[in-house]
Amino acid sequence: LEKTSFFTVSTHGVNDYTFLEYINLRLVAVYDEDTDPTETVAQNGERTSRTNSTGAAHYVQVTFTLGDQYKPIETGLIPLDSVRAGRGTFLADLAPPASGPLQTGDFTHVCDGYFTASNVGVTGYTVDKTTFTNQVGQPCGPQSQMCASPTSVPDQFVSFNIPLGKEVFANPSNALDQNIFVDMVISARDTDPSTGGSAGPTPNEGDDPMQMKTTLTASIPIVSGGIN
């Protein structure tokens, strides 16, 4: 399902405009391959696999393009500790996790510490990381890498995957009152001297006179639909 129903951007730096273009969100469900041979279907003389309809691993794919003059900073385009996600009706309903037990509706830092975490996903839908990565990485799956902040973008196209957990898309609503929200910072270098880049005279408020930042906040509804 692809439908970005809401997004906002804010900038930090000498450029008053965001450097993101063609922003899109996509919800992805990855099902286990059903290896039961009694359910294998013959089509055109070939035996094909089917998917198990339960226990899907879910993630959201955020894609956008950068203007030609922008490049990732050395540590990566997207600071992983800035990436948050959650499920709710309104963005205002989501809050940073409290010090007590996590509640559904928390805005979870899903990529901070992802590579050392034992569990992944948004609050209320977390799953063992090994289970999640094995499901996404199975031979018939997309084998997508999660929380991979690019250090180079040769074609200016960026695809960033945020792990949500298991069965996050349960209980969909066509009233558009169930949404996945994401919030993330994109940090790049402006290489155009005319706009305050590498040779420009006007540094921004950060430590690096070439650094530009955009905060992207977006949502995509969870609605009923078929399995693609």
Side-chain angles (χ1 to χ4, degrees):
L1 173 65
E2 298 179 58
K3 184 181 183 298
T4 304
S5 60
F6 159 81
F7 73 86
T8 62
V9 291
S10 59
T11 60
H12 167 81
V14 297
N15 194 335
D16 292 333
Y17 302 97
T18 179
F19 48 84
L20 307 183
E21 300 174 339
Y22 303 105
I23 302 167
N24 189 57
L25 267 65
R26 173 185 296 170
L27 298 178
V28 182
V30 183
Y31 295 84
D32 281 323
E33 178 183 352
D34 190 343
T35 57
D36 184 350
T38 63
E39 296 183 352
T40 301
V41 182
Q43 295 182 356
N44 299 325
E46 297 182 0
R47 298 177 67 82
T48 60
S49 299
R50 294 170 54 172
T51 56
N52 191 326
S53 61
T54 61
H58 293 145
Y59 65 92
V60 58
Q61 181 186 54
V62 182
T63 60
F64 54 85
T65 61
L66 299 176
D68 292 337
Q69 71 194 61
Y70 300 102
K71 307 296 180 185
I73 62 174
E74 289 84 351
T75 55
L77 185 67
I78 302 167
L80 296 184
D81 59 357
S82 75
V83 180
R84 298 186 296 171
R87 173 174 171 163
T89 301
F90 301 105
L91 180 62
D93 295 337
L94 301 178
S99 57
L102 298 179
Q103 302 295 320
T104 300
D106 286 336
F107 218 7
T108 310
H109 286 269
V110 287
C111 285
D112 189 14
Y114 169 79
F115 295 99
T116 58
S118 57
N119 294 297
V120 298
V122 299
T123 303
Y125 302 94
T126 56
V127 64
D128 176 74
K129 181 183 175 182
T130 300
T131 301
F132 181 89
T133 54
N134 286 347
Q135 190 163 2
V136 174
Q138 60 186 314
C140 64
Q143 304 180 30
S144 302
Q145 187 174 359
M146 302 293 120
C147 299
S149 179
T151 55
S152 65
V153 188
D155 57 1
Q156 303 304 108
F157 178 79
V158 178
S159 177
F160 186 78
N161 299 312
I162 301 173
L164 298 176
K166 281 273 212 176
E167 293 300 308
V168 189
F169 306 158
N171 302 314
S173 172
N174 291 340
L176 306 183
D177 58 354
Q178 293 297 315
N179 301 280
I180 295 295
F181 292 92
V182 299
D183 184 79
M184 57 198 292
V185 171
I186 296 89
S187 184
R189 283 176 172 252
D190 183 353
T191 61
D192 185 349
S194 67
T195 58
S198 57
T202 309
N204 65 19
E205 297 175 1
D207 297 329
D208 187 342
M210 297 180 290
Q211 187 174 1
M212 305 291 294
K213 294 181 180 178
T214 278
T215 300
L216 170 65
T217 304
S219 73
I220 183 169
I222 304 172
V223 298
S224 299
I227 300 174
N228 189 356

